[in-house]
Amino acid sequence: MSLILALESSCDDTSAAIIKNGTVLSNVTATQTIHEKYGGVVPEVASRKHQINIIPVVKAALDKANVDKTELTAIAVTKGPGLLGSLIVGVSFAKSLSLALEIPLIEVNHMKAHILAHFAEDPKPKFPFLCLTVSGGHTQIVKVTAPLEMTILGTTIDDAAGEAFDKSGKIMGLKYPAGPEMDKLAQKGKPIFQFAEPKVKGLNFSFSGLKTSILYFLKAQLKDNPNFIDENLNDICASVQYQIVYILIKKLKQAASETGINQIAIAGGVSANSSLRTALEKAGKECGWQTYIPAFQYCTDNAGMIGVAAEFSYKEKDFSSLDLVPEARLKI
Ligand code: KG4
Ligand code: ZN
């Protein structure tokens, strides 16, 4: 029997979850809204907030699962990638608890956990599968051959897809993170404006040109009409979203055709995007894929996915020592 307390503190969400034999019993997240006013995550503020949030969040996760800390069989924690000051809070807390309760410590790669979140609920993808992992810091197409065996086939050469949403939203005056708000506004608009498509070789992505193209487009429009953004906000959001989703799905189709794999998943914060979810299902029907879209609670950063990933290491008795140190740039 495994009863794991999982912790996630890689960016601006403090999250704790209880996972029993691979099933998520509770998944509690405190989101730090303080960063909205700065237009992005302020690392020092994020780590201070994690310090404040971590004990209440762990208590809430234990209570919700009706579990006492003395029943736990392991502690899992995000080792990276992420903001170092934020990661240190989770890792130090996990090490202390592992030492105090005399139970094993399990380190988890945040990006692998986004992918393994698919194993929290049915239907689960079959190996090998491809996963488009799209978050605020990453955009990757990953070939997953076994739970802990993954290869990156393509990645962004500049901004991540989530950054493309957040930075374009910021240009339009939306609060950070702009992705969820742009998704809502886009549903009321039409993609009538066109932006340049990046030319990137292979399965890699580029999104920084899109941001620049939006900036120049808006500057030109605002010269003639100072109210252009307010009057066209829904259509601008729909157009930006259309272009981001188009780029993602195009590369995913290329990856599926090159590898011959038809089990296709999406993961990460941007996988919560309604247009991407619809576009994946449509592409799946067209190309004969079996598609996997995570439940909303497993899309953005959460400790449930850390626990589900940790369960695979737990079964292999792949434990970490108390010398564990976080790594901001940890690779898959
Ligand atoms: O995976 P995540 O929670 O954190 C990172 O590891 O980065 O992803 C956060 C990113 C942000 O850029 C946010 O704007 C984006 O996911 N996001 C969305 C939506 N929900 C979250 N982007 C577009 N549409 C959404 N519905
Ligand atoms: Zn993430």
Side-chain angles (χ1 to χ4, degrees), residues 110 114 135-137 162-163 165-166 177-180 183 268-270 272-273 299-301:
H110 180 88
H114 268 303
S135 70
E163 253 178 310
F165 274 105
D166 297 339
D183 189 352
V270 181
N273 183 268
C299 287
T300 46
D301 290 350

